[in-house]
Amino acid sequence: MGCRIRNYNCCLPKVYKSLPSQYLRRTMVPNTPKFTETLRNIAAIAVVTALAQYYTSVHYNNQFMDLMKTSLRESCDRRDMPLIRAYMNMDTILKVAPRLNLSACVIPNDMSTVLRSIMCFLSDSESLSKANESDSTKNFTANICADKNEFASLESMYTSTGTMPENWTLLVITQEPLNRFLSVFLNECASENEGMQQKDNCYGCGKDVSCVLNRIYERAQSYAADPHGFPVTRQDYLFFPQNWHCSFGTYRWCYKLVPLETLEYLPDILQTAGVADSQVATIMAQSTSYKTNHSEFDFYHDIIISSSELRQLLHSIYFDDYEMFGYPFVYTERNVQLN
């Protein structure tokens, strides 16, 4: 909440409305230095009171919103399948462009590889451009920066750069939860990877989407109960809720959220951070051209949304992703044959 900058000028006119009417009628009061000083003191007290009331209302408004979400969460928890706990501090991967004081937290999703390259481009555009020119098959994904522009926490980023939170622009790209699940499922579970049989992929479930969702739910519950003693796999990182990354439990108010589906707000965020218009155009062209296309996407989409049990699993695993990132939990079938 401390990262949110509010405009309080709108509150100042209320000061004048709060003054007794007799002070505003010059014909009814003497125009003396003593009276003028008294009027100024009353105005100053009114300004301080108005500002105090404003900041108090902001604080309690944020608390009220969190309370409402907690109440909604508890009402959902009373169903047969309790919700997965929110804001587990699983990991934080920050890619930075220090010259711009711009930092992006990388959540495993369809855009994570491109986001790494975007931040590398902004950190060292000349080297990345040369790397891509040397290999025409690369599409803005050469990671010549490796770990050079990376931090594992916001605290370490502030300490290492000698800066304060208000000096930075923090962004994160989010993905609609079902789309993210299906993207990972199709890449990890529905195809053979490096000699592995399909039945060995994804917790031993292979292409059985019901099995995968049940295993994710079980493993996420186990991790939430004992995060330090739980052996996390690569597929856990890909499937577990997005709100478990980026220290959202502490810093969720500080990030500027960019939905992957539209990349809305990204150009404005980059321009505000001082990125040149030509670089913004390059980034947007590369980002919007990076799309996954799976012929089976609609097939598995309809399997999930046509089953009340699988919808409940999806809702219980990703409830807080839907709430935090503003995605509606409303789906319709895409009229794909399921047999």
Side-chain angles (χ1 to χ4, degrees):
M1 285 181 281
C3 301
R4 306 181 102 180
I5 299 174
R6 306 276 189 170
N7 180 8
Y8 57 81
N9 291 334
C10 58
C11 301
L12 297 182
K14 296 180 182 178
V15 172
Y16 303 104
K17 295 180 182 180
S18 67
L19 293 175
S21 60
Q22 64 265 31
Y23 291 127
L24 303 178
R25 298 174 184 242
R26 298 183 61 185
T27 59
M28 298 179 61
V29 296
N31 186 14
T32 65
K34 185 176 181 179
F35 173 75
T36 302
E37 182 180 357
T38 301
L39 183 60
R40 286 175 179 171
N41 289 338
I42 292 174
I45 292 171
V47 169
V48 172
T49 302
L51 292 177
Q53 290 176 342
Y54 174 77
Y55 283 114
T56 300
S57 68
V58 168
H59 172 72
Y60 282 105
N61 182 57
N62 286 332
Q63 282 194 333
F64 176 74
M65 292 302 295
D66 284 341
L67 183 62
M68 288 294 292
K69 287 186 178 182
T70 300
S71 177
L72 177 60
R73 199 174 198 282
E74 289 174 351
S75 68
C76 293
D77 263 334
R78 288 193 286 271
R79 299 180 182 179
D80 294 338
M81 187 173 295
L83 303 180
I84 296 297
R85 186 184 304 174
Y87 306 129
M88 297 299 297
N89 194 15
M90 194 171 187
D91 74 336
T92 298
I93 301 175
L94 295 164
K95 307 298 288 187
V96 303
R99 179 178 58 84
L100 300 166
N101 278 5
L102 178 66
S103 176
C105 188
V106 180
I107 297 176
N109 60 26
D110 274 357
M111 191 70 178
S112 56
T113 301
V114 175
L115 182 57
R116 290 173 183 268
S117 295
I118 288 174
M119 298 308 295
C120 182
F121 173 71
L122 294 175
S123 180
D124 190 355
S125 58
E126 183 177 350
S127 297
L128 184 59
S129 297
K130 289 180 179 178
N132 280 327
E133 287 172 3
S134 66
D135 186 348
S136 59
T137 64
K138 293 179 179 178
N139 186 33
F140 204 37
T141 57
N143 190 15
I144 55 93
C145 294
D147 298 333
K148 289 187 295 184
N149 66 329
E150 184 173 305
F151 291 97
S153 71
L154 286 167
E155 294 85 355
S156 63
M157 183 182 77
Y158 299 142
T159 300
S160 298
T161 58
T163 55
M164 300 294 289
E166 56 267 26
N167 300 134
W168 286 83
T169 298
L170 308 178
L171 70 90
V172 63
I173 295 180
T174 66
Q175 189 171 8
E176 197 280 332
L178 177 55
N179 288 348
R180 178 173 176 261
F181 167 78
L182 287 172
S183 177
V184 176
F185 175 82
L186 291 169
N187 286 327
E188 298 289 322
C189 311
S191 60
E192 296 184 12
N193 296 317
E194 298 182 3
M196 295 179 62
Q197 299 297 314
Q198 287 178 348
K199 64 181 178 62
D200 298 324
N201 294 352
C202 294
Y203 314 121
C205 295
K207 299 174 70 172
D208 186 340
V209 70
S210 175
C211 174
V212 172
L213 278 170
N214 275 283
R215 291 292 288 148
I216 293 171
Y217 180 81
E218 294 166 1
R219 291 181 66 81
Q221 287 283 41
S222 297
Y223 177 85
D226 182 18
H228 299 294
F230 185 85
V232 179
T233 68
R234 173 178 172 275
Q235 288 170 347
D236 290 334
Y237 278 107
L238 297 173
F239 279 122
F240 281 179
Q242 297 172 78
N243 71 82
W244 283 14
H245 302 273
C246 302
S247 299
F248 278 126
T250 303
Y251 296 107
R252 60 187 178 278
W253 303 112
C254 300
Y255 287 102
K256 297 181 183 296
L257 305 180
V258 178
L260 172 63
E261 290 70 27
T262 63
L263 295 181
E264 189 178 6
Y265 315 124
L266 183 56
D268 289 342
I269 292 172
L270 295 175
Q271 289 169 342
T272 301
V275 180
D277 290 345
S278 59
Q279 291 184 322
V280 172
T282 299
I283 289 169
M284 295 308 298
Q286 293 284 355
S287 301
T288 54
S289 67
Y290 182 83
K291 295 180 180 180
T292 55
N293 183 20
H294 297 284
S295 60
E296 294 181 294
F297 185 95
D298 288 349
F299 175 79
Y300 285 105
H301 174 279
D302 282 0
I303 287 179
I304 293 173
I305 64 98
S306 63
S307 165
S308 59
E309 178 185 352
L310 297 185
R311 288 199 310 272
Q312 179 64 57
L313 271 169
L314 185 78
H315 184 262
S316 297
I317 296 169
Y318 300 117
F319 173 86
D320 288 284
D321 282 354
Y322 283 102
E323 285 295 303
M324 178 178 175
F325 305 130
Y327 292 106
F329 190 79
V330 179
Y331 295 110
T332 57
E333 293 189 35
R334 303 189 178 188
N335 299 318
V336 176
Q337 291 293 328
L338 302 182
N339 52 23

